[in-house]
Amino acid sequence: MALGMIILGRQGSGKGTQAARIAHRYGVVHISTGDMLRSAVAEGTEMGLEAKVLMDAGDLVPDDVINGIVDERLAKADVVDGGFLLDGYPRTPGQADALVGFVGERLQLALNLDVSVDVVTERMMARGREDDSPESIARRLQLYEAETAPLLSWAEDRGILTVIDGLGGENDVFARLSVVIDAI
Ligand code: ADP
């Protein structure tokens, strides 16, 4: 069975960077909902225009919109054959439920990249992406605690959770992640 994984962790924890490296090494498809939404914004689609307002404020795009995008992507042949690593999804209990409906037992591993609020705030202030204003950062971290942190117990209850220390150099963190993935 192709490998199915999700990567959890606060904004600025390094998820995107590590997810790209994991996809490269293990041959799974990296699916970043943030990147998909930014492409939709760049293309100026109707969905992109609606999403941009929410993204700039640090708010979440509604579950039904994001679930639709992910469902469509997961059904494509490259994902079915090669497996997947979802980055930035699921982010709410409603998305987690939807994901189980889409992939069921194909979801084998939830990696939680653990980095404190203080450290991720500093990192985001330094990287200066368009939606990295102090207000938007604060809002996203607040939503993370309220909506996404509960998914850690969800993943633990499914028996798929592994917590990885996200502090330190990129290569060190990648080595820690690789040990966990190699084990399954
Ligand atoms: P970050 O993790 O720093 O918020 P992302 O690139 O993952 O960066 O997401 C950027 C924005 O896109 C989010 O603030 C949110 O508005 C939207 N977004 C991305 N993924 C989701 C999702 N799964 N559910 C709802 N909104 C999302």
Side-chain angles (χ1 to χ4, degrees):
M1 187 167 57
L3 197 53
M5 302 180 279
I6 61 177
I7 186 160
L8 301 168
R10 292 192 174 86
Q11 292 80 358
S13 60
K15 287 193 307 281
T17 307
Q18 297 295 339
R21 292 185 64 166
I22 292 169
H24 187 245
R25 173 173 295 179
Y26 295 93
V28 295
V29 180
H30 176 199
I31 304 174
S32 160
T33 46
D35 286 350
M36 290 168 91
L37 290 170
R38 279 184 288 275
S39 302
V41 171
E43 286 163 19
T45 65
E46 195 178 324
M47 196 263 294
L49 294 176
E50 281 168 26
K52 185 170 180 0
V53 182
L54 297 167
M55 293 167 78
D56 284 345
D59 283 327
L60 294 174
V61 172
D63 279 357
D64 56 345
V65 173
I66 206 88
N67 286 337
I69 298 175
V70 171
D71 186 18
E72 209 172 282
R73 187 69 192 87
L74 288 171
K76 298 224 161 98
D78 59 339
V79 176
V80 174
D81 296 342
F84 60 88
L85 172 57
L86 281 160
D87 160 17
Y89 181 96
R91 214 178 278 227
T92 66
Q95 294 177 18
D97 285 346
L99 177 61
V100 171
F102 301 151
V103 298
E105 299 302 313
R106 281 160 65 203
L107 175 61
Q108 292 147 278
L109 185 60
L111 300 158
N112 180 43
L113 210 48
D114 193 29
V115 181
S116 72
V117 172
D118 288 351
V119 172
V120 296
T121 304
E122 267 174 41
R123 285 186 186 175
M124 280 191 277
M125 299 294 273
R127 78 183 176 186
R129 204 171 68 193
E130 201 188 334
D131 59 347
D132 283 342
S133 69
E135 296 76 21
S136 165
I137 290 173
R139 175 78 183 135
R140 269 143 64 210
L141 289 173
Q142 182 196 350
L143 280 172
Y144 180 85
E145 301 309 327
E147 300 286 343
T148 313
L151 300 189
L152 296 179
S153 4
W154 164 81
E156 189 160 35
D157 290 347
R158 291 187 68 83
I160 57 171
L161 181 68
T162 303
V163 180
I164 287 111
D165 180 4
L167 275 188
E170 207 183 294
N171 291 334
D172 294 333
V173 176
F174 184 61
R176 287 175 208 143
L177 289 161
S178 300
V179 169
V180 175
I181 299 169
D182 286 341
I184 61 166

